[in-house]
Amino acid sequence: MFNRFPGQGRPPEGEDFGPPPPPFRSRRRRWDLGGFGNARPWIILGVSLILLFIVLSTAKGIYVDLLWFDGAGYESVYSKIIRTRVLLFLGGAAVFIAVFGLNAFLAGRVALRTPAPDLPEAEATALRRLGLLILIAVTLIFAVIFGVSAATNWETVLLYLNREPFGIEDPQFGRDIGFYVFTLPLLHAVQGWLMGLAVLSTLLVAGLYLFRFMVGGADGTNSRLTKAHLLLLLLLVVSLFIWSYWLGRFELNFSESGFAYGASYTDVNARLPFIYIGMALGVATAVTLLLAMVRPGIILPAGMMVAWAAIAVLGGAVYPAFVQRLTVAPDELEKERQFIDRTITATRAAFGLEEIEERRFPANPSVSAAEIANHPDTIGNVRLLDVDPLLQTYNQIQTIRPLYSFLDVDIDRYLIDGELRQVMVSARELSSSNLPINRQTWINRRLEFTHGYGAVMSPVNAVVEEGLPELFIKDIPLESKGQNPADGIEEIKIPGALPVVQPRIYYGEEPDEYVIVKTKSEEFDFPVGESDQARNVFGGDGGVGLGSMFRRLVFAWEFGDINIARSGSLTGDSRILFRRNIVDRIETIAPFLALDRDPYLVIADGQFFWIQDAYTTTDRYPYSQPTGSPNPDLVGANYVRNSVKVVINAYDGTTTFYVRDPDDPLIKAYGKIFPDLLTPLAEMPPSLRPHLRYPADLFLAQVNQYRIYHIKEAGVLYGGEDIWRIAREATDGARVEPYYLIMQLPGEAKEEFVLILPMSPRAPRENTIAWVAARSDGADYGKLLAFLFPTDLLVFGPSQVESRIDQNPAISEQFSLWDRSGSQVIRGNLLMIPIGDGNIFVEPIYLQAETSRLPELVRVVVANGNQIAMEPTLELSLKVLFGEVRPTLPGETPTATPVATSTPDPAATPGAAATPTPVGTPADVGNVADLARQADAAFERGQAALRDNNDFATYGREMAEVERLLNLIVDLSQ
């Protein structure tokens, strides 16, 4: 211990000054270390204020979230999460303090009693107290860190406590898949947490004992205690290493070292034995550590640890590489066959590929006129409007005022005049940041300009005379065709009453900004004329009430905006709406769900609703190949289910989680954890059910796996000859994205809403080998079909068809003409559309002036077998292909099919109403005089457009019309 009489030896004989002060008891005399004593009150005050701010800030955040969850109707969800996190934090911190603190106390007693012969007694005592304070501070700081670490595992703990079996065992260890999904993650978390605690405790104790040895030298009694203490801690670390070996063997099921995903021949026959050897060596090391506590020296445990490390290196890298090179490589297929079979089986199960029904498809070289005539609803719903050009058009012609914007275009289907029609819908959202800079006041941004208004709806294939989309719903106030329920589907009928009784959009895809409603300031609703405004007051119950000054102060702190507390415009009924972005809203309520990238807007019961597909995923399904995906939420997942359909009311934010896949073990577990969160799909309103669609991200993930794992035999998969890829487009080399169609599937009785994707063989071949479809209607929802083409038949793929279009002299020349006339040619998505026993390809062509952002649909290219036509409408292109009219494109060679000599049956070429004929494009060929007059009129229109408006797009279009009419005159004159 510290000597009370440094440099003076023992006290005079006969004098007793009592025992030295205990190392953990302060003397009542004043001490000072460089002014620390004088600064101590200010340091304590500063630290206390910082801690108080942290505590209050945390409490504020919890209180705001609690209010928000209560307003959203999910207070029980947040309470469950908070309770679990608090309990884990307190439990983790308590365990850390007990273990770490005990070790710090035992080692600190020895270290703090180290003699200090060169220091006065006062300074020695001060150092003891300072060292004690440092140990206490370190313990508390790390207790908070380890407590927070434990709290972050709340989901893992809850899933384990509510785990569900999958009913499938892994083929290597015979464990239910649920063990890997629910139990193993918790065991890894606990092992890692304890390992961190053990290592940190060992380092602290070793440091304290090293300090004692360096300052005070060796001490027989203390040396024995020191050795025993350190060996016990090392024994704990070794035991945790042994546990990590035991857990690590299960991780072989997720190995990527072999030919296929999961434990391979080398993993099972080389790495796994060394894992067991490592466990045995760990046990032997633990025994030597116990022996070293009662015997002198540590050579035996040290030598065992060295041997253990050497064996670990040998078994982890050297020996497996040796086995792979000399045993597996020469006979890889036979050695890996059973493991490849395991990967095939697991991947097909994890992604639902076993449910894909495979059918043979003749894939005839071309589609006949009779097949076209027999599928009028398919032809009448061919999508000619692409999302990107249409979004630009909406933002040009339907934003009405600069503060509105359209962020996305969604594809859905509705009954229109008794006919199922595919439509494109986009919400008109409001962003107060689009206000003029001098009008972006707090009142305007937070109280008045609070919501979007209405939406725009267009059929996927109908344009008006200017090449712009026909609008079923448009403008402000909304103008639309009437809408009445029919058989549970919202049916748009003849012009009538306003179908949307609540057109206001407070919740959407626009980046989130909080707003306050029910204030003294009425909210801007929509513009009336040039200078007037219609105004409105929010009538919903969403958001959080701001009735008390306390809440106003809390939210002023939360958003860093003192105006919330100071504003005189707020009343006792005022409510603050925040987290209005639908993705942010869902992720806050249910952070464990992965979300599809494309939420879509639905009109039902006179209101707007957002439907968001949500997934339960895991990367812990043994042997299942992880998927790559453009959706970051799905990257690396090797099990995916579209378990939930989330519906959000765009007006008041009401959010409902409907369970789509009640058999999914993950969603079962979450349902047990949060019994108030999930709602059975049967309770979804009948008006919304017909608008459910198979999500594109899930479909893409499944197809990406199916292109490989449609192969069920290990030898075929190993050869790789029959591996597919998603078809690609020639214009940019990008793969075709899944697209929705209303079509009659082969073998089915009627048209339905499906999602399809064509498939090609491995590069460099670009032909089409199959197409995959996902059904979305009624009882057939979720069924997947794969239509396989004959293996001895060459069927053109999208990129090949696009190349043939580019090589067509007449089409290429027309594109060049438009480009030279000051316009930009925009090629739409090329769609492969199965009809009857064959496929046709349809590609829309847009023109956009260089000075405009207003693309106009001017032509439709249709490819059928070896024939290609490009006409102003889909109807005319089909007529040209089947020889019913001559081609109108200048220089285009007529088709090999003879021109019909009699008037064709209109039923044979449906869809005329879907794509109205542009101005100046006659549906029938007249006499020479009529054609001459039309050509003269088109020429005058083009000159006027160029002279008056400098409109090169219209000029180019009219000049093309002149050329077409002159070509017809030449044909008739021969």
Side-chain angles (χ1 to χ4, degrees), residues 128-152:
R128 291 193 191 98
R129 296 190 68 246
L130 182 60
L132 177 62
L133 289 175
I134 291 174
L135 284 178
I136 293 174
V138 168
T139 301
L140 293 178
I141 290 173
F142 277 104
V144 172
I145 294 173
F146 274 70
V148 170
S149 176
T152 58

Side-chain angles (χ1 to χ4, degrees), residues 601-810:
L601 190 71
V602 170
I603 305 171
D605 299 326
Q607 301 182 73
F608 290 124
F609 296 90
W610 296 98
I611 296 182
Q612 170 73 70
D613 286 285
Y615 308 109
T616 46
T617 68
T618 182
D619 59 358
R620 308 302 296 169
Y621 198 107
Y623 278 99
S624 175
Q625 175 71 47
T627 182
S629 172
N631 184 337
D633 284 354
L634 300 183
V635 172
N638 65 359
Y639 171 91
V640 181
R641 290 293 184 270
N642 178 212
S643 300
V644 177
K645 301 282 187 178
V646 187
V647 176
I648 303 174
N649 188 304
Y651 179 67
D652 61 16
T654 300
T655 306
T656 309
F657 295 80
Y658 294 101
V659 178
R660 175 64 189 81
D661 187 357
D663 296 328
D664 170 39
L666 277 166
I667 206 63
K668 283 183 180 179
Y670 285 119
K672 291 165 64 177
I673 296 170
F674 306 112
D676 299 328
L677 175 65
L678 304 175
T679 302
L681 187 64
E683 297 182 19
M684 178 179 284
S687 58
L688 288 174
R689 290 289 295 273
H691 294 287
L692 297 182
R693 67 185 195 185
Y694 202 85
D697 281 349
L698 174 62
F699 183 64
L700 193 57
Q702 290 176 307
V703 170
N704 194 50
Q705 298 290 52
Y706 183 69
R707 68 184 182 85
I708 301 174
Y709 296 103
H710 69 278
I711 303 171
K712 302 177 185 178
E713 205 281 318
V716 179
L717 181 60
Y718 183 84
E721 176 62 25
D722 198 28
I723 291 178
W724 303 343
R725 63 189 179 115
I726 297 172
R728 297 182 178 273
E729 297 185 12
T731 51
D732 55 7
R735 68 184 183 185
V736 175
E737 293 295 327
Y739 49 93
Y740 293 97
L741 289 176
I742 290 179
M743 61 170 289
Q744 183 177 339
L745 291 169
E748 302 300 327
K750 62 179 182 178
E751 274 75 12
E752 57 186 286
F753 192 64
V754 298
L755 181 64
I756 75 171
L757 194 59
M759 307 299 295
S760 295
R762 297 184 70 176
R765 293 176 293 171
E766 297 291 345
N767 57 294
T768 309
I769 199 170
W771 55 275
V772 187
R775 308 173 75 173
S776 295
D777 289 345
D780 292 322
Y781 178 94
K783 293 182 179 179
L784 301 178
L785 301 171
F787 293 88
L788 312 180
F789 296 178
T791 56
D792 58 349
L793 185 66
L794 177 64
V795 181
F796 286 138
S799 64
Q800 293 171 319
V801 172
E802 281 195 322
S803 296
R804 293 181 60 241
I805 293 173
D806 292 336
Q807 294 166 7
N808 185 289

Side-chain angles (χ1 to χ4, degrees), residues 508-523:
E509 297 180 276
E510 181 73 25
D512 190 24
E513 288 186 340
Y514 83 85
V515 296
I516 302 176
V517 296
K518 295 185 178 180
T519 66
K520 295 178 183 178
S521 301
E522 289 188 334
E523 304 164 48

Side-chain angles (χ1 to χ4, degrees), residues 87-296:
L87 288 175
L88 289 175
F89 173 83
L90 294 177
V95 171
F96 181 89
I97 291 174
V99 175
F100 188 86
L102 176 62
N103 284 282
F105 172 77
L106 293 176
R109 281 180 50 184
V110 176
L112 293 179
R113 288 179 177 176
T114 302
D118 297 327
L119 291 178
E121 173 62 17
E123 294 184 11
T125 303
L127 283 175
R128 291 193 191 98
R129 296 190 68 246
L130 182 60
L132 177 62
L133 289 175
I134 291 174
L135 284 178
I136 293 174
V138 168
T139 301
L140 293 178
I141 290 173
F142 277 104
V144 172
I145 294 173
F146 274 70
V148 170
S149 176
T152 58
N153 291 294
W154 65 268
E155 186 178 350
T156 303
V157 172
L158 289 177
L159 282 175
Y160 170 76
L161 295 176
N162 297 274
R163 58 193 179 277
E164 288 281 334
F166 276 65
I168 302 174
E169 293 182 352
D170 83 281
Q172 180 59 43
F173 299 104
R175 298 271 187 163
D176 186 89
I177 303 301
F179 169 79
Y180 296 91
V181 175
F182 299 115
T183 304
L184 193 57
L186 179 64
L187 297 180
H188 276 299
V190 173
Q191 189 273 339
W193 192 89
L194 290 176
M195 180 64 78
L197 172 57
V199 170
L200 191 64
S201 300
T202 303
L203 292 176
L204 175 73
V205 169
L208 290 173
Y209 285 142
L210 180 62
F211 167 78
R212 172 67 174 83
F213 176 77
M214 294 178 64
V215 175
D219 183 322
T221 302
N222 285 335
S223 295
R224 289 192 297 272
L225 293 176
T226 297
K227 176 183 175 183
H229 192 182
L230 286 172
L231 289 176
L232 280 173
L233 287 174
L234 287 175
L235 179 63
L236 176 60
V237 172
V238 168
S239 299
L240 290 172
F241 266 111
I242 297 172
W243 190 17
S244 72
Y245 271 100
W246 185 84
L247 296 176
R249 65 194 181 111
F250 297 112
E251 294 303 314
L252 293 179
N253 279 333
F254 310 100
S255 171
E256 299 183 44
S257 61
F259 175 83
Y261 187 81
S264 64
Y265 179 92
T266 300
D267 292 321
V268 172
N269 294 279
R271 290 188 174 88
L272 184 58
F274 271 90
I275 288 178
Y276 291 126
I277 292 174
M279 293 173 64
L281 290 174
V283 172
T285 302
V287 172
T288 61
L289 289 172
L290 289 174
L291 292 175
M293 293 182 190
V294 296
R295 298 178 60 182

